[in-house]
Amino acid sequence: FDKAFSERAKDIIEAADRLGVGSLKVEAEGWYVKSTLIKLSNFAENLHLSDTKKCALLKEKVMEFLVENEEEALCFLSENHDVPQSESMLTDFL
């Protein structure tokens, strides 16, 4: 159950948010945060998810990554213009 839940945690977060099932969303977010490695290739997507679905734990994990990898993240953003629009807020954080 744990592995299957971790693999589908992002989908569960989105469904629970859409259906207003807060306890399930928080549980799924915990599993997602535990099972997801934040890296340059996915930090913007994960920040977007944390912002749009109001996932505080995920946002904290992404922000920790950004603090530790500020230069690389800024380079990535300047080179990749297909980052979701709400990610323009990243420069405010950095």
Side-chain angles (χ1 to χ4, degrees):
F1 174 76
D2 294 346
K3 184 178 180 185
F5 194 82
S6 293
E7 291 173 354
R8 301 297 306 218
K10 184 177 175 184
D11 295 332
I12 296 168
I13 290 169
E14 292 175 356
D17 184 67
R18 187 173 44 252
L19 298 171
V21 185
S23 59
L24 179 59
K25 184 175 106 176
V26 169
E27 182 75 18
E29 179 187 3
W31 282 101
Y32 186 74
V33 166
K34 284 184 209 177
S35 65
T36 301
L37 175 64
I38 304 298
K39 49 193 174 184
L40 281 176
S41 62
N42 71 6
F43 81 91
E45 175 186 339
N46 281 297
L47 184 58
H48 180 72
L49 176 66
S50 73
D51 190 43
T52 59
K53 302 301 178 191
K54 309 289 188 260
C55 295
L57 291 174
L58 180 57
K59 189 171 219 167
E60 181 179 341
K61 186 172 183 174
V62 174
M63 296 312 291
E64 287 173 3
F65 171 83
L66 290 173
V67 167
E68 294 170 5
N69 300 280
E70 182 177 351
E71 279 188 42
E72 294 89 348
L74 284 172
C75 286
F76 177 85
L77 288 173
S78 67
E79 295 170 2
N80 295 284
H81 301 287
D82 59 344
V83 176
Q85 185 175 355
S86 67
E87 298 319 317
S88 62
M89 67 182 205
L90 282 172
T91 53
D92 295 337
F93 288 122
L94 299 174

